[in-house]
Amino acid sequence: HDKNLHYEFGLAWRHFFQGQSLLNTNEDAWLPMQVFTYSHYSNYKLFLVDYHFLLTRQGGSTQYTGTALLKYRFGSDSRYTTAKTSNQILVGVTYRYQDAIIPIIGYEYERKLTFTFSYDLNISGLQEVSNLQGGMEVGLVYNGFLVKKRRRI
């Protein structure tokens, strides 16, 4: 086993009680169960390369999504305390099968705050109407809400 490799796998359900409407009895409000499978592969070298694969099924619809992210960490983290102050730049692309290509760029500040920008380029049958215009997405993630307070010397 190579210590530079990291693997993850997950499975999740939404609308698990698909035949039960908890809010009302209107049959149109019921949603079919949605199943997610997720896998993640990382290669830790000078650059971190993350590969994510997501399979989503809901009703008769299936969606396949693959992502590749190239991450470069710079700065330093303490070897003697829990202080993590390095930063990271990320660049990548997501492909949603027969639907969209999504370029992604981002910046992580001191392992606490991550800002990402992506843009969905429509490549589906709707591209004639959309002229390859998709949707801009901005992400802001704070890491550390449930992490113990950092110690410094």
Side-chain angles (χ1 to χ4, degrees):
H1 177 61
D2 186 347
K3 67 179 181 176
N4 291 324
L5 299 179
H6 176 75
Y7 302 94
E8 293 178 8
F9 177 78
L11 182 65
W13 283 271
R14 283 178 42 186
H15 314 300
F16 187 74
F17 300 104
Q18 74 182 51
Q20 301 176 18
S21 177
L22 301 176
L23 300 176
N24 61 34
T25 58
N26 183 355
E27 290 186 24
D28 293 336
W30 293 4
L31 293 172
M33 182 170 33
Q34 190 172 22
V35 179
F36 301 91
T37 57
Y38 168 82
S39 63
H40 170 114
Y41 162 80
S42 295
N43 185 0
Y44 297 97
K45 299 281 184 182
L46 174 62
F47 290 93
L48 171 66
V49 181
D50 273 349
Y51 303 98
H52 302 266
F53 303 99
L54 177 67
L55 167 67
T56 306
R57 295 187 56 123
Q58 185 172 21
S61 176
T62 301
Q63 179 177 300
Y64 304 96
T65 305
T67 301
L69 290 174
L70 178 66
K71 299 177 179 180
Y72 176 69
R73 184 162 300 282
F74 58 96
S76 62
D77 293 328
S78 174
R79 291 193 290 175
Y80 307 106
T81 69
T82 58
K84 305 289 186 192
T85 59
S86 62
N87 302 301
Q88 183 171 257
I89 295 173
L90 64 94
V91 177
V93 65
T94 295
Y95 175 69
R96 200 167 39 238
Y97 182 67
Q98 296 182 338
D99 184 42
I101 296 174
I102 307 159
I104 305 164
I105 59 171
Y107 180 78
E108 179 188 73
Y109 175 73
E110 292 188 354
R111 294 187 182 247
K112 290 187 276 188
L113 194 61
T114 304
F115 173 79
T116 58
F117 174 81
S118 62
Y119 191 83
D120 285 23
L121 295 168
N122 186 342
I123 61 168
S124 72
L126 297 174
Q127 68 182 347
E128 293 177 17
V129 177
S130 69
N131 292 327
L132 290 177
Q133 294 179 4
M136 178 178 62
E137 296 179 9
V138 176
L140 185 62
V141 177
Y142 175 73
N143 296 310
F145 181 69
L146 298 176
V147 176
K148 292 180 182 179
K149 187 173 181 178
R150 295 179 177 172
R151 294 176 294 206
R152 299 184 189 262
I153 300 179

